[in-house]
Amino acid sequence: MVIQSKIEVLSIKKFSLIKNKKKFLNNNFSEREISYCNKKSNSDISFIGKLCSKNALKKLIGKKFKKRDIEILNTKKGRPYVYIKGRRMGNIYCSISHTGENAVALIVIKR
């Protein structure tokens, strides 16, 4: 078994400065992701955590997926899991955390 991992860190403040946020969200997130994040009291933190995950995954797998092709969804308990092009990826694990300033995501792939 081969295990690969990647960590990504992004600034929450920079995300809040995006001028056309609706266009950015629609270009980078699925409807399910947008719906989930918008239910949070501070949606920017949730969006940036999911964006970290997508960036890390794209760097790790090296394929030219659009960010909308990758979905970071959550169980009822909040645990993130990954879909690529509508298919749940049972071998890809995701962990997301944040402080007041930054969000960080860890992606682990078991092959």
Side-chain angles (χ1 to χ4, degrees):
M1 174 180 7
V2 176
I3 297 177
Q4 296 175 297
S5 64
K6 183 72 177 168
I7 295 174
E8 180 81 9
V9 179
L10 292 173
S11 165
I12 294 168
K13 184 178 181 181
K14 286 184 181 179
F15 183 76
S16 66
L17 298 175
I18 294 171
K19 292 182 181 177
N20 189 346
K21 197 170 282 188
K22 184 176 182 177
K23 181 178 179 182
F24 179 83
L25 295 179
N26 288 329
N27 286 338
N28 290 282
F29 299 97
S30 70
E31 290 179 20
R32 294 189 292 182
E33 290 170 311
I34 292 169
S35 175
Y36 175 85
C37 292
N38 281 335
K39 292 176 184 172
K40 300 295 181 180
S41 59
N42 186 342
S43 61
D44 284 358
I45 290 172
S46 294
F47 282 118
I48 200 71
K50 291 182 183 298
L51 189 61
C52 280
S53 301
K54 292 175 181 227
N55 288 348
L57 183 57
K58 283 185 67 155
K59 290 175 184 176
L60 189 59
I61 60 178
K63 293 189 179 179
K64 295 182 180 181
F65 290 111
K66 295 177 184 176
K67 286 185 183 156
R68 280 188 53 98
D69 290 338
I70 301 168
E71 283 185 291
I72 309 299
L73 303 175
N74 300 80
T75 65
K76 290 182 181 181
K77 293 185 179 183
R79 187 175 143 244
Y81 58 95
V82 178
Y83 271 79
I84 298 178
K85 291 191 173 188
R87 184 171 161 232
R88 183 154 181 187
M89 306 304 293
N91 65 324
I92 301 176
Y93 303 90
C94 177
S95 180
I96 302 170
S97 189
H98 56 80
T99 66
E101 297 177 12
N102 297 300
V104 61
L106 169 67
I107 295 288
V108 176
I109 298 177
K110 289 176 24 178
R111 297 181 191 206

